[in-house]
Amino acid sequence: MNQRVTHRQMILLVLLLSVSGTLIQPHAQAIYYAEQHAYLSYIPVVVVMIVSMWMLSRVQRRFPEKDLFESLIGRFPLLGRLMAFLYILFFSLCLQEIFG
């Protein structure tokens, strides 16, 4: 059974993951050192989130019947497999850090 993720679902999923990940983990040290200027640490985060969502949106429009891994491997066979492996490795290490 092949279920298709809609454009809106993709944007909401990326937004949810990006916001929750950036607000919880990496900025704790920046906020500690920045003190009253902590709000400035969120500017690069917002830029990276917007660029990431735009790139995922473009990939989904270009390859509407494929998921992210299939489109990467279809377009760049060797580099796509490497990126898919690194993507899975990254999230595996994140899960290990959280639950391990």
Side-chain angles (χ1 to χ4, degrees):
M1 177 158 79
N2 189 6
Q3 296 179 349
R4 185 167 184 255
V5 177
T6 65
H7 181 70
R8 182 175 182 207
Q9 289 172 335
M10 175 71 81
I11 295 296
L12 292 175
L13 181 65
V14 170
L15 185 64
L16 175 69
L17 291 174
S18 298
V19 168
S20 64
T22 55
L23 292 179
I24 293 172
Q25 277 288 9
H27 293 288
Q29 292 178 349
I31 290 170
Y32 175 75
Y33 290 113
E35 296 173 2
Q36 75 240 21
H37 302 294
Y39 66 94
L40 292 175
S41 66
Y42 287 99
I43 294 172
V45 171
V46 169
V47 171
V48 168
M49 283 178 15
I50 289 172
V51 169
S52 298
M53 289 183 350
W54 177 76
M55 288 189 324
L56 284 171
S57 171
R58 296 287 300 200
V59 167
Q60 191 199 16
R61 283 187 194 152
R62 187 168 181 184
F63 303 103
E65 299 298 321
K66 296 181 179 180
D67 63 12
L68 182 62
F69 294 124
E70 289 174 347
S71 60
L72 272 173
I73 293 170
R75 181 80 169 121
F76 307 105
L78 182 63
L79 186 62
R81 284 185 175 89
L82 177 65
M83 290 302 294
F85 173 74
L86 291 175
Y87 190 80
I88 292 170
L89 180 67
F90 173 75
F91 282 104
S92 298
L93 292 174
C94 288
L95 287 175
Q96 182 183 5
E97 182 72 25
I98 292 171
F99 296 113

